[in-house]
Amino acid sequence: MKDGLGNKTMTNEPVSYWSDADQGLRAVELRAAGFEPTEAAKTNAVVTIANAYTNAHRCNNRVRRIADLLVEAVAAKGGQGLLVGAPAVSDALTQGTDNAGYSLVSRDLMADCMETGHYAHHGNAMIVVSGCDKTGAAALMPLARTNAFGLVVYPGTSSPGRVDFEPWASKGNNLTIMDYVEGSAAREAGRITEDKLLSLQRCVMPGSGTCGAMFTANTMSTIAEAIGMILPRGASHPADYDADSDIHDDVKHQAHASVDALYNLTKLGIRPRDIMVREAFENAVVTAYATGGSTNLYLHILAIAREADVPFTIEDIQRIGEGVPLIANLQPHGAYAMVSLHNIGGVPVVMKALLEAGYLHGDVMTVTGKTLAENLANVPLPQDIPNQDVVFPVAQPLAAAGNHISLLTGSLAPESGVLKLSGKTLEAGEFRGTARVFENEADAMAAIRGDKIVAGDVIVVRNVGPVGAPGMPEMIQLTIQLQGRGLGKDVALITDGRFSGVSHGILVGHISPEAAKGGPIGAVRDGDTIVINPISRRLDIDIPIEELATRMKTPTTPDLSALPAGSVLNKYRRLVSSAHYGCVV
Ligand code: FES
C-alpha cells in the first residue's frame, strides 16, 4: 500500500496487486523453492519465523532447531512458516575486541532484517526466536514495528554448573559464565591455581544457551515475558541438557504452545500494540528492577517503546524503577542461576509477588489472550513455595528500593548516566576518587594489568560511546579485572560506553552526551576529583564550572572519518541517537 506521496506505508496485512497471469509466475517461484503451489495456495497464514540463527556461538546455536520446529507446528495448523534470518552477534565473542561495537549495532540491524523479510515474503504473522543479548532486545522491535500478529520464543539460557572447591563450591549448581571470567581474572592476579581455573572452564557451562543468570539476555527475556509477549514461564528455561543433547523439553513445549497462542491471538484480533501498551512497559521496568536486570535495559526499553509508538522516557524508567525492591536472588548481585528461578516457577513467581504488592498493572493483555492477572491467578507467592530463597517476599526484599540502577545527572552527565550498584550501598554515601583517564578500553586494561590502578581511583574510559566507538562496546573485561583483583569496591569506573549484565562494582555507564559529541566527559583530566553520589543521583567533576567550560572549548574528539563510507558502522555513526534516547537509529 502506498500513501499519497507514493511511499510504502506500514500495513498489517499484505496487499497484492498480482493478476491471474502473475499467479503463474508465483507458481514457478514456489515450485523452484521446493513448495507445492497448490498446497501453498491453501495456506491459512504466512508466518514469518524470524530468527537470528548461527552455529558460531552457544547463545543462538539452538535457534535453527526451534525455528524448524515452529515451521512444522505452523504447517500442522495449515499455515506456512517462512524462515527469515538476521545476524546474531555474541557479546562473549566480541567484548574486549575491536569488533565489540557490532553488538549494539546488530540490535537495529536485526530488527530491520526481520521487518524486511516479513514484508518481502508477505507475512501475516510473526514469531521471533531470540537469543543473545541484542537478539533479545531486537525480538520485540519488529513485532512492535510491524504490529503483525505475533510473539517471542526464547531459545533458553545455559544450564548452570558446579565445582567442588571454594569459593565456588558453596554456590552449588549455580555456576555461570560469570564465575569463569572472574576465576580467570583471579588466576591472572595469582589468587587461584591453573588447575582450578581449568575446572571452572570445563564445568561452568555444560551446554548451549544464553549467559545463565540475570545478565542482559535473561534481562531481555524477562522483559519480554513481563511485557506480555512471551508465554508464562517462557523466559527462564534452560536451552538444553548438555552440549550433546537435543533442546530442552520446556523449549519444545514453549514452541508448540506459542504456535497455538499465535492462532488464538489471530482469532481474537490481538496484536502486539494491544499488548505493548504503556502500562505493560511499566510492568516490564518493575519486573526488570525486581530481578536485578542489566543496565542495558535502559537502552532497549526506550528502543522498543519507540517502535510501539508508546511515549516512554529514560526518566520514566528511573522514576518507576527507583520504587521497586530487589527480590530475585540471582547473579550477578545474588547467588542463583536463572534455571534456579525457572525451577521454582520462573518469572511468574516474581510477578505474582509484585502484583500482590501493588507494583504491577494486572489488567493488561498478554499473548495468552488473557490479562496478566488472569495468567498469575494460580501462581504461588514466594513465601508459599517451601525451601527456596531464590525469590524473596516483597516485604523482606534482598535489597530495599533505590539500590539497584539509578539515573544520574550532573556536570559530567548533562543528559544522563546510569549507575549500577545492584543492591549495594556506598559506605560513605558517595564515592569520591581520582580520575585516571583513558581514550579506549585497551589502554585502561593495560593500566589495570600493570598494577597502575589503585584503591580510590576512578577509571574514566571515553570515546567509546555510540558514535565514538562506534557502537558503545561493553567494558566488561575491565570490570572483571577489577573484581578478580579484589578492587571492585575500591575503584570506580565511569564511561560513555556500556556494561555487560555480568558487570558489577561501582560503575557508571551510558554517560551522555558522549565525548565524541562534545560531552564534558571529554574534558576530564588525570588527577581530577570525580564524585559519584547515588543519594543525590549526581555525577560531578570537582572543578569550578568555569574551568570545565574552558576545557570543553578544546574537546578531545576522535577522528570520525576513518570508517569506509558504506560500512554499517559508518551508517550507524551518522544515524544513532545518544544513550539518553536509547541509541535508536
Ligand atoms: Fe550471548 Fe551472553 S554472550 S547471552
Side-chain angles (χ1 to χ4, degrees), residues 131-170:
C132 193
D133 305 9
K134 258 48 68 178
T135 14
L140 294 172
M141 291 166 69
L143 287 163
R145 189 184 296 179
T146 63
N147 204 24
F149 292 111
L151 72 167
V152 175
V153 174
Y154 188 47
T157 195
S158 58
S159 293
R162 67 162 76 227
V163 295
D164 61 2
F165 52 86
E166 294 300 341
W168 290 280
S170 50

Side-chain angles (χ1 to χ4, degrees), residues 4 29 63 91 114 121 124 150 222 247 290 307 362 382 420 435 491 562-563:
E29 293 288 339
V63 166
D91 289 88
M114 291 170 181
H121 302 155
N124 304 108
T222 298
I247 57 175
E307 302 287 3
K420 183 179 186 186
V491 172
L563 296 165

Side-chain angles (χ1 to χ4, degrees), residues 260-321:
D260 290 342
L262 177 70
Y263 273 79
N264 187 44
L265 290 168
T266 307
K267 191 171 82 188
L268 297 173
I270 299 169
R271 292 180 181 276
R273 289 189 184 191
D274 300 318
I275 295 170
M276 287 191 270
V277 296
R278 184 180 171 87
E279 290 77 12
F281 278 91
E282 293 182 1
N283 285 350
V285 172
V286 168
T287 309
Y289 263 77
T291 49
S294 151
T295 48
N296 283 309
L297 74 91
Y298 266 80
L299 302 178
H300 302 326
I301 281 187
L302 294 178
I304 297 160
R306 184 185 74 148
E307 302 287 3
D309 205 17
V310 170
F312 211 72
T313 66
I314 198 165
E315 287 86 6
D316 287 331
I317 301 176
Q318 160 66 31
R319 180 181 49 75
I320 297 162

Side-chain angles (χ1 to χ4, degrees), residues 58-59 90-92 132-133 210-211 217:
R58 45 84 186 175
C59 320
S90 158
D91 289 88
C132 193
D133 305 9
T210 61
C211 296

